[in-house]
Amino acid sequence: MKKYLQLAGLAAAVAAGVCSAADYKPVTDARLANPEPENWLLTKGNYAGWSYTPLEQITPQNVSKLRPVWSAATNVGSGHEAPAIVNGDYMFVSTPRNQVLAFDSKTGRVLWRYQREMPEGFGALHMTNRGVALWGDKVYIASIDCMISALDAKTGKLVWEAEVCNWQTDSAYITSAPLVVKGKVIVGPSGGEFGVRGFLKAFDAQTGKLAWTRYSVPAPGEPGSETWPQQGQWKDSWKNGGGTMWMPGNYDAKNDVIYWGVGNGAPWLGDQRPGDNLFLTSVLSLNPDNGNIISHFQYHWNDSWDWAGMNAPTLVEFDRNGKKVPGLISAQRNGNLYWLDRDAKGKITYQKSTPYVKNTVFTSIDPKTGRPTYDEAAKPATNKTATYCPSLWGGKDWPYEAYNPKTGLLYIPFNDNHCMTLTGMIQPRIPGQWSAGVDINKLDLKVADNFPFIGGIQAWSVDGGKEVWRQTYKHSWNWGSILTTASGVLFAGGTNDRKFRAYDAKSGKLLWEFPTPSGIISPPSSFSIDGKQYIAVVSGWGVDAQWIQGKMHDQAGWEKAVPEGGSVWVFALGD
């Protein structure tokens, strides 16, 4: 029987009347569609995925006066990849090992702590969590052992739980934050490296009852199944074909269309599943009522590089010939920046793309369809070794880009000058075991000789289609999401020196920095209380960022490891 830990911090406080039901404002569909500037209700701030706050109190002129207001340890190591979610006086932070912490947003006092006990024998490639979702009077957390749980927002008490996947038989696990749309909690699993066939599930937010399931790899006879092998040795490859949907999507509330990113193929080697392999490495538009696929765009076909397309594109409007045109923009792991059109019904159309980091695989891209042509020598296959750039971590890994409607710029956390050499093999699929078709102990990361930098931030004009500025890090990769503000400040972590930084959003000039106890790989967020603006970020290095740090120690003499250990930091302007 599962055990649940609700550690009191607040049980006594509630009993004493410190916090009453009136203190928590229920989160409605209307609030999610138009979140108040003083709150941070979604992982990326709004349904469009902008990672942008309309708050303007902190400016390029005064940001140097930022000071810590409070901090709190999470009592957990490993990689902390969840933002602080804020609704009034309540801040919610999820951590590795199935934990959710609720704080008083203003003071940092712990209100309650919930932790779902890890099952005996459980293991996953990435022991992390990327955030909670809010709706009504509940907080929703997807646990790494394949459960979705609804908690009472005021007390942390478990209200209901439902199984998303079976980690023992499916080999799946969950790192994604859920997305709540119209009273449905939507989430998908990770596990492409274990041969999981990707899917999304939607649950009734009140009861936990399953509403619908949508697989990203079609079964025989379904639209798109013709892009998978129909006969021969690989005819059943669709059953374990990958395409896990392990990052939260975005939502067009006006037209009632969800946009979701689909991950890499499984195994990684495309010759073991010949064909275009829809809907791997794609963006899907979906009907939130039933999960039906409306349209798609595939960034690259027959994925063979682990270039997952899991980040949903940002919803924007392009200024085209004096008219506003609904669109999508996305810096993809394959190193290309994509401009896509979307209509009111959710149809997706390719407009253009351009490299933002070096790509040695694409020899050309069809200007009408966006379909790339490949250098076959740079495509790993069974019993074949190939080197390609960027490496499997891509031009941008999972961290979120940010869009500022006032500057008209898209801000991209990027990594360049890194490549990968892989040798393919056939691996049997055994539940719970690595089966990506490459030896996990022989992932050969390569960095360019005398590389000028690897990590950095790029700012691109959404309408102009040009890079406006960039910041680069010679001695660090960038693993951090970005927050931008209406006043023209950009906040970012992501570097191995543990610093949290503020830049001028128009010029890229460094304005402020603060060292935290560990590195920052979580998205920053912003909120205000009683007219005072706060910036929140969770520090806690780990997972891929730490693994790469070790590789860079071997290749370039960097420090072998970054200190781990999670802590929440909240900043505001000093007097």
Side-chain angles (χ1 to χ4, degrees):
M1 179 181 293
K2 300 292 183 185
K3 295 180 181 177
Y4 305 96
L5 305 176
Q6 274 104 21
L7 303 180
L10 200 66
V14 171
V18 176
C19 294
S20 66
D23 292 324
Y24 190 83
K25 182 179 180 181
V27 176
T28 62
D29 293 339
R31 291 185 66 201
L32 290 175
N34 293 285
E36 312 88 3
E38 62 267 23
N39 292 310
W40 194 266
L41 301 179
L42 293 128
T43 54
K44 291 171 271 188
N46 61 15
Y47 271 143
W50 287 1
S51 295
Y52 164 84
T53 176
L55 298 176
E56 298 182 301
Q57 189 177 90
I58 299 169
T59 69
Q61 290 72 37
N62 64 23
V63 69
S64 63
K65 297 180 180 179
L66 275 189
R67 301 290 185 269
V69 174
W70 63 262
S71 66
T74 67
N75 200 34
V76 179
S78 192
H80 286 56
E81 298 183 345
I85 301 296
V86 179
N87 182 24
D89 291 334
Y90 287 75
M91 173 187 289
F92 306 100
V93 175
S94 60
T95 76
R97 305 198 68 82
N98 292 345
Q99 178 182 238
V100 182
L101 292 160
F103 298 98
D104 182 304
S105 305
K106 189 173 182 179
T107 68
R109 179 171 59 92
V110 176
L111 302 178
W112 53 258
R113 183 193 307 259
Y114 168 87
Q115 191 161 19
R116 178 184 170 82
E117 188 173 281
M118 300 287 290
E120 185 177 351
F122 176 82
L125 188 62
H126 299 94
M127 298 288 283
T128 191
N129 184 275
R130 297 188 175 94
V132 301
L134 307 181
W135 191 81
D137 58 358
K138 299 179 183 65
V139 179
Y140 301 90
I141 177 70
S143 59
I144 199 162
D145 56 321
C146 279
M147 302 296 289
I148 183 79
S149 301
L151 311 177
D152 185 292
K154 298 182 290 296
T155 66
K157 181 180 178 180
L158 180 69
V159 179
W160 60 254
E161 65 176 2
E163 184 179 88
V164 181
C165 41
N166 186 311
W167 64 269
Q168 293 174 300
T169 59
D170 298 342
S171 300
Y173 58 98
I174 304 177
T175 61
S176 179
L179 181 72
V180 178
V181 172
K182 296 169 63 179
K184 293 183 178 66
V185 188
I186 307 169
V187 73
S190 299
E193 305 79 11
F194 300 139
V196 174
R197 179 188 176 207
F199 61 85
L200 290 178
K201 286 189 177 180
F203 299 85
D204 184 282
Q206 286 283 23
T207 66
K209 182 180 179 181
L210 180 65
W212 53 258
T213 301
R214 172 55 53 202
Y215 283 94
S216 59
V217 174
E222 294 178 343
S225 63
E226 70 280 1
T227 66
W228 287 80
Q230 304 294 299
Q231 56 189 357
Q233 181 181 5
W234 310 114
K235 67 181 178 68
D236 291 330
S237 59
W238 65 274
K239 293 181 179 179
N240 308 112
T244 48
M245 302 159 88
W246 51 275
M247 294 292 291
N250 294 325
Y251 176 51
D252 177 355
K254 177 181 177 182
N255 295 303
D256 197 24
V257 178
I258 295 172
Y259 294 88
W260 218 285
V262 182
N264 54 283
W268 288 354
L269 310 167
D271 68 320
Q272 293 182 23
R273 41 178 167 77
D276 281 9
N277 303 148
L278 292 176
F279 295 95
L280 303 184
T281 61
S282 300
V283 52
L284 299 178
S285 57
L286 303 163
N287 182 330
D289 295 328
N290 52 28
N292 288 348
I293 297 174
I294 300 168
S295 183
H296 78 280
F297 174 76
Q298 188 173 49
Y299 299 109
H300 56 273
W301 51 277
N302 192 234
D303 177 54
S304 301
W305 307 272
D306 188 29
W307 285 339
M310 69 290 171
N311 277 110
T314 303
L315 278 61
V316 296
E317 286 188 328
F318 302 125
D319 188 349
R320 193 175 299 157
N321 300 320
K323 296 182 178 180
K324 294 292 184 182
V325 179
L328 306 167
I329 190 166
S330 181
Q332 278 295 308
R333 199 148 153 174
N334 63 29
N336 270 40
L337 178 58
Y338 290 84
W339 284 258
L340 308 171
D341 287 348
R342 58 184 168 96
D343 68 12
K345 295 182 178 180
K347 182 180 179 181
I348 304 170
T349 308
Y350 175 78
Q351 186 192 144
K352 65 179 180 179
S353 60
T354 190
Y356 67 97
V357 302
K358 180 175 65 175
N359 178 309
T360 61
V361 176
F362 295 0
T363 58
S364 64
I365 294 181
D366 187 294
K368 293 184 178 180
T369 66
R371 181 182 176 88
T373 301
Y374 301 146
D375 177 357
E376 292 297 322
K379 187 176 182 181
T382 308
N383 298 320
K384 174 190 171 186
T385 300
T387 298
Y388 61 92
C389 315
S391 73
L392 63 86
W393 288 274
K396 183 181 75 64
D397 200 68
W398 75 267
Y400 306 132
E401 58 212 13
Y403 170 66
N404 189 317
K406 288 197 170 184
T407 64
L409 300 179
L410 182 78
Y411 303 97
I412 305 169
F414 79 99
N415 294 299
D416 203 354
N417 297 311
H418 58 99
C419 306
M420 193 101 244
T421 298
L422 294 180
T423 302
M425 59 192 292
I426 294 177
Q427 288 181 312
R429 183 180 183 272
I430 301 173
Q433 293 190 21
W434 177 273
S435 58
V438 299
D439 188 336
I440 190 174
N441 297 310
K442 296 181 179 179
L443 298 181
D444 190 6
L445 175 70
K446 296 181 179 295
V447 294
D449 292 336
N450 300 315
F451 57 88
F453 62 87
I454 291 186
I457 298 172
Q458 295 180 21
W460 282 73
S461 169
V462 168
D463 289 325
K466 301 291 185 183
E467 183 182 325
V468 175
W469 61 258
R470 68 166 57 189
Q471 277 275 357
T472 59
Y473 309 133
K474 180 173 176 56
H475 300 292
S476 182
W477 288 53
N478 188 355
W479 300 97
S481 298
I482 292 172
L483 167 71
T484 183
T485 76
S487 59
V489 182
L490 184 151
F491 290 96
T495 53
N496 57 16
D497 59 8
R498 305 177 289 111
K499 291 183 178 180
F500 188 43
R501 294 181 171 90
Y503 299 95
D504 187 299
K506 293 181 179 179
S507 68
K509 180 183 177 182
L510 178 64
L511 302 173
W512 171 86
E513 58 186 9
F514 181 89
T516 65
S518 182
I520 295 169
I521 56 176
S522 73
S525 56
S526 184
F527 61 98
S528 69
I529 298 176
D530 300 329
K532 191 174 188 68
Q533 183 180 358
Y534 297 86
I535 303 294
V537 74
V538 182
S539 176
W541 196 259
V543 287
D544 285 33
Q546 192 72 290
W547 190 86
I548 288 289
Q549 187 69 20
K551 288 290 185 180
M552 296 304 297
H553 167 77
D554 297 338
Q555 296 194 31
W558 291 7
E559 290 293 327
K560 190 171 185 178
V562 176
E564 294 193 16
S567 54
V568 183
W569 289 82
V570 175
F571 302 88
L573 295 175
D575 293 336

